[in-house]
Amino acid sequence: MAQAEAFEFGVEQGQMLQVLMRHCQTMKRQETRLRVATALLLATLLATFVWIQQLNTKEAFSGARPEALKTTDSPRSHSVHLEPLRQMDPCSEQQPIEWLEVSDGYNSENFKLENRTVLHVSSKGLYIINLRISYRTAYNLCEPDTVSTLVVNVTQHHRNYPRERELVSATETMICRDCLSQSITVNRAVGLEAGTILRVRINQNSCKFVNWVKNSHLDVTFL
């Protein structure tokens, strides 16, 4: 009798275990299906959102006037381009370089060149100064293999300043050799007051080496 009851109990446990396994398998299948359905739903919602955005963009462009779709050009910067007028004669420490304004399509309304040596700035703001002075040695200009010092200064003066101030300065050395070319290039962003005047000077000893007719210029741009 006890063996029969134990056998029946074992059968019942086996049946219950099978039912539990089938239930777990069913739950796993349902969970997988739920995940797939959720992913499909999210993908559908995302695709719908993208489609609506594209549709709104097309409608916005189709309703806009042709001139409104054109890219608006940024305001043209005011710039001045100066080139040396002639050789400084005599070379003097106190005499600034004389310049000639070259248009080249520049909008230079913000600048005025006075006495060929003084550049007036009419607006307060940020400016880019681009200066290049080219040098060239030639026969009998200097003793071979001697070293010369090249100095370039850009100064500013304003009614609020008690004296002229150095704005940009550069110093280099050059060895004296026949037909040797060299240049000093300075680029700097500076803040200037309205009514500021600018001058460019070089040291007296380097004046004879300046290549006045080629690759020397002063560009000032108002941003």
Side-chain angles (χ1 to χ4, degrees):
M1 184 67 179
Q3 292 180 352
E5 291 179 351
F7 177 77
E8 291 179 357
F9 181 72
V11 171
E12 290 178 355
Q13 284 186 332
Q15 291 175 348
M16 291 177 62
L17 181 60
Q18 290 179 357
V19 171
L20 181 60
M21 291 178 63
R22 285 196 296 270
H23 177 71
C24 291
Q25 292 175 353
T26 301
M27 292 296 292
K28 287 183 179 180
R29 286 195 295 269
Q30 290 178 351
E31 183 179 357
T32 301
R33 292 173 182 172
L34 181 60
R35 290 179 178 176
V36 173
T38 302
L40 291 175
L41 178 60
L42 291 176
T44 302
L45 290 175
L46 180 61
T48 303
F49 177 75
V50 172
W51 178 77
I52 292 175
Q53 289 292 103
Q54 292 178 347
L55 183 62
N56 290 337
T57 302
K58 291 180 180 179
E59 290 178 352
F61 274 97
S62 62
R65 293 177 298 176
E67 57 271 20
L69 300 180
K70 296 180 180 179
T71 303
T72 302
D73 295 333
S74 58
R76 189 177 182 184
S77 298
H78 288 230
S79 298
V80 63
H81 177 71
L82 306 178
E83 295 180 358
L85 177 63
R86 58 180 176 81
Q87 181 172 347
M88 295 163 60
D89 186 25
C91 289
S92 171
E93 193 75 26
Q94 302 301 319
Q95 181 181 357
I97 294 179
E98 294 187 6
W99 300 98
L100 175 66
E101 183 175 349
V102 181
S103 61
D104 286 344
Y106 288 91
N107 184 2
S108 57
E109 297 177 1
N110 195 48
F111 305 94
K112 179 182 179 182
L113 183 62
E114 182 181 353
N115 296 329
R116 297 177 178 173
T117 58
V118 179
L119 182 64
H120 289 260
V121 175
S122 61
S123 299
K124 178 180 179 180
L126 183 64
Y127 291 79
I128 299 294
I129 294 180
N130 184 331
L131 172 65
R132 176 171 180 162
I133 303 295
S134 296
Y135 301 87
R136 184 177 183 275
T137 58
Y139 183 71
N140 285 336
L141 277 182
C142 52
E143 292 294 328
D145 296 327
T146 58
V147 178
S148 298
T149 302
L150 313 176
V151 182
V152 175
N153 290 316
V154 181
T155 62
Q156 65 169 332
H157 185 64
H158 189 268
R159 61 181 178 273
N160 294 334
Y161 306 154
R163 62 182 62 88
E164 197 171 31
R165 296 181 176 183
E166 184 179 280
L167 189 62
V168 181
S169 180
T171 303
E172 292 187 11
T173 57
M174 183 175 66
I175 299 177
C176 183
R177 292 176 183 170
D178 193 22
C179 298
L180 176 67
S181 296
Q182 189 170 326
S183 63
I184 292 181
T185 301
V186 178
N187 294 280
R188 184 176 176 184
V190 295
L192 299 177
E193 297 289 337
T196 298
I197 60 175
L198 304 176
R199 292 186 178 92
V200 179
R201 292 185 174 90
I202 59 176
N203 61 320
Q204 185 175 1
N205 294 334
S206 68
C207 181
K208 59 185 177 181
F209 301 121
V210 175
N211 189 355
W212 296 101
V213 297
K214 187 177 181 181
N215 296 330
S216 295
H217 64 261
L218 171 64
D219 292 333
V220 184
T221 301
F222 175 53
L223 300 180

